Amino acid sequence: MFLLFTSLLLVACGKSDDDDPVASSSSTMSDQGSEAGDPVTVSGKVRYELVPPFPNCSGLDYASAELRPIRGATVHLIDANSSELIDSDLATESGDYALQSTAQREVFVRVRAELKQVGSPAWDVDVRDNTSNTNTSLGSRPLYVVDSNSFTMGDSDQVRNFTAATGWDGASYSGYRAAAPFAILDTVYEVMLLVLEVDPAAQFAPLDIFWSTNNSTFRAASLNTGINSGAIGTSFYVPQLNSLFLLGMEDDDTEEFDRHVIAHEWGHYFEDNFSRSDSAGGPHSLGQRLDMRLAFSEGWATAFSGMALNNPRFCDTVGSQQRMGFGIHMEYDQFGPSGWFNEISVLSILYDLWDTQVDGADVSSLGFQPLFDVLVNEQAETSAFASVFSFMKALKARNPEQATFIDSLLAQHSINGPGLDAYGSNETNDASAPDVLPIYTDIIPDGTPVTLCANSQFDGGYSGNKLSEYRYLRMLVTNPGSYIFSISTQSPASPLPPPGFDCTDPANAGDPNNFQHSDPDFLLVRRGQVVAAGQSCTANSEVTTADDLPAGDYVISLLEFRYADGNTPPDFPEQSCFEVTVSPGA
């Protein structure tokens, strides 16, 4: 018999609050008694309720909820009177646990929403509430746990099985949503298994996952405010924090049972810790023409979710009673024009490289190992920006016998495979728009000027992450030393701020003089590492000196900052053209 955990508790140090209710439980006694002082065992299974989506992704199907084991979580046996930790175990693949204590002791069982393992492989995953104890650091926010009611160990071994329930009563979440943190935890457990198949000794960096019933699609003015209040806007991964943030507000957007969404965000964690992402991030929607770095990162994360869950149907449920949603079928769906700038094209290619189903140009399969090998090696070290070009170049080089198959998949999505290099030098798909090709413009660091234009033609919201808003340059340094980077706006003829206007003064942040002019910014990057930046607010120009540059290949990302500035006036010109020079320094 399985009983429900009816309470979802939050603990900071492994102790529940005295006022928190605890669940009832039943025990099955064994026939074997225990001599005085001998240990007795409580064992059983820990499980959670998983709610799947409807087949067409039109919401959660609560009537079809199924029981799943809570795999790998920490299970504690705790003295009910002193809160002393008596014994600890890790739940097995089938959710089994076994704990020992002396007889006649009043105890309770606690299951912690965490995955802990040291050695080789190793991982450290916690599911925490970002909206509780907000006066503490994020890593100290309360961990989710579920507790049984207290019981007496007695003189004989006993079996106690527990289930973390959804809290759904048929119309709303009227009970504790105990299943939610464990559903999240188990999805992460599942996706780690795919990595362990190809890297059995994998060292997973510590990961905090923040979920709360307060986490909503409302967006606070600042990230910190949103994290503390729950107004986070969407689910996302923050590289600087090594943390996932997941939505959880009822009748708005709940992610705990949207397994592909969780796996997608974990895919970004994988990029950050095992590979590399050069994506600028930011809002985007299906079918948009995106900056190539964003297109690859998002395409990879979605394709990975399908691989790790062995399911090509990506579902995200939302809305009142969680009865709405949308889906992407990785095998068949296409939104917007195909190409290297479309995340749907990228995810379809990656998924087809992995899967074994034959359809269209997908007549073979590489499996996950070759994809993993490129991601953790060449893609992490490429001199170009990380994109579908750098990935596919390395994949073809590692798997020459599959080059024809890879090229056929690329061609199916309007990407030129034959002769492909990491810089997309042979690409002819310009998305039927100006200021797209060539993807990289060569620049010689001898003072020779290069002119190129950026364009916000695909970005009506000034998000600064769409195709043609960033322009790329490629530079070879043969003589180590210092170099002066100079960018000047050639058009539009922007109005200059008044004499003496200080664009760096916070008091002028909202002044129209601070965002009407062109503002070119750039990053100088070597193998994924920023080695110099020009990001001042100086009108119509940027001049920066980079000292002690070693010989080697460099790439430059050039952005008209007005395209990424929410204060940009709507009549700001769609196209900005620049003259760029790189000259030897003193």
Side-chain angles (χ1 to χ4, degrees), residues 13 38 43 50 55 66 97-98 118 137 161 165 169 221 330 348 363 379 388 404 454-455 471 474 476 479 539 579:
C13 303
D38 287 346
S43 61
L50 174 69
E66 57 189 78
Y97 74 94
V118 297
S137 65
N161 302 316
D169 66 7
M330 301 179 198
S348 296
V363 296
Q379 188 78 335
V388 70
T404 299
N455 202 309
R471 298 307 310 273
R474 181 183 181 186
L476 174 64
N479 297 314
E579 182 180 271

Side-chain angles (χ1 to χ4, degrees), residues 231-517:
I232 61 174
T234 188
S235 296
F236 54 88
Y237 170 70
V238 180
Q240 297 86 346
L241 301 175
N242 238 25
S243 298
L244 270 61
F245 292 84
L246 300 174
L247 296 167
M249 179 174 281
E250 180 181 2
D251 298 324
D252 177 36
D253 194 345
T254 62
E255 305 286 37
E256 59 264 30
F257 302 126
D258 291 341
R259 303 182 78 218
H260 282 82
V261 174
I262 299 166
H264 172 102
E265 298 304 336
W266 195 93
H268 291 311
Y269 158 88
F270 175 91
E271 280 185 303
D272 185 37
N273 290 280
F274 286 83
S275 181
R276 162 181 151 199
S277 173
D278 294 330
S279 171
H284 59 281
S285 58
L286 298 179
Q288 287 186 307
R289 298 167 176 87
L290 304 179
D291 177 81
M292 66 177 181
R293 302 166 301 173
L294 176 64
F296 183 83
S297 179
E298 296 301 323
W300 149 255
T302 300
F304 173 79
S305 73
M307 300 174 200
L309 301 175
N310 195 23
N311 183 353
R313 173 70 76 175
F314 182 101
C315 286
D316 187 6
T317 58
V318 298
S320 177
Q321 296 186 314
Q322 296 67 246
R323 289 183 175 175
M324 297 184 292
F326 73 92
I328 305 169
H329 198 290
M330 301 179 198
E331 293 278 15
Y332 311 121
D333 289 341
Q334 180 65 41
F335 301 85
S338 298
W340 48 276
F341 42 77
N342 188 331
E343 64 176 297
I344 303 299
S345 291
V346 173
L347 75 87
S348 296
I349 295 167
L350 292 173
Y351 188 82
D352 281 343
L353 287 166
W354 169 82
D355 80 336
T356 56
Q357 180 172 334
V358 174
D359 61 276
D362 183 14
V363 296
S364 186
S365 173
L366 275 69
F368 189 64
Q369 184 79 63
L371 309 183
F372 176 87
D373 290 342
V374 170
L375 286 164
V376 302
N377 292 292
E378 290 91 342
Q379 188 78 335
E381 296 294 328
T382 180
S383 295
F385 285 112
S387 72
V388 70
F389 300 112
S390 55
F391 180 87
M392 293 301 169
K393 168 62 176 177
L395 188 69
K396 290 174 66 177
R398 278 180 172 265
N399 303 274
E401 74 286 355
Q402 295 280 13
T404 299
F405 167 54
I406 295 170
D407 284 347
S408 67
L409 289 179
L410 293 172
Q412 184 173 276
H413 293 276
S414 303
I415 302 173
N416 191 5
L420 176 147
D421 65 14
Y423 300 90
S425 302
N426 68 325
E427 187 53 59
T428 58
N429 183 352
D430 64 0
S432 302
D435 305 324
V436 171
L437 297 179
I439 296 172
Y440 289 85
T441 299
D442 289 331
I443 188 167
I444 302 172
D446 63 358
T448 302
V450 167
T451 299
L452 71 166
C453 301
N455 202 309
S456 63
Q457 57 197 323
F458 302 119
D459 188 1
Y462 294 117
S463 299
N465 61 1
K466 306 303 185 293
L467 180 65
S468 72
E469 292 188 301
Y470 280 92
R471 298 307 310 273
Y472 302 109
L473 299 103
R474 181 183 181 186
M475 180 179 72
L476 174 64
V477 171
T478 55
N479 297 314
S482 297
Y483 290 86
I484 302 169
F485 293 77
S486 178
I487 304 171
S488 60
T489 305
Q490 303 299 296
S491 65
S494 304
L496 291 173
F501 182 84
D502 183 4
C503 63
T504 65
D505 188 342
N508 295 330
D511 193 303
N513 290 301
N514 215 19
F515 50 75
Q516 289 183 339
H517 57 81

Side-chain angles (χ1 to χ4, degrees), residues 1 3 25-30 42-43 151-153 157-162:
M1 177 180 179
L3 299 182
S25 62
S26 67
S27 63
T28 301
M29 310 299 291
S30 72
V42 56
S43 61
F151 58 93
T152 302
M153 287 295 289
D157 294 344
Q158 54 186 288
V159 175
R160 290 180 177 263
N161 302 316
F162 306 106

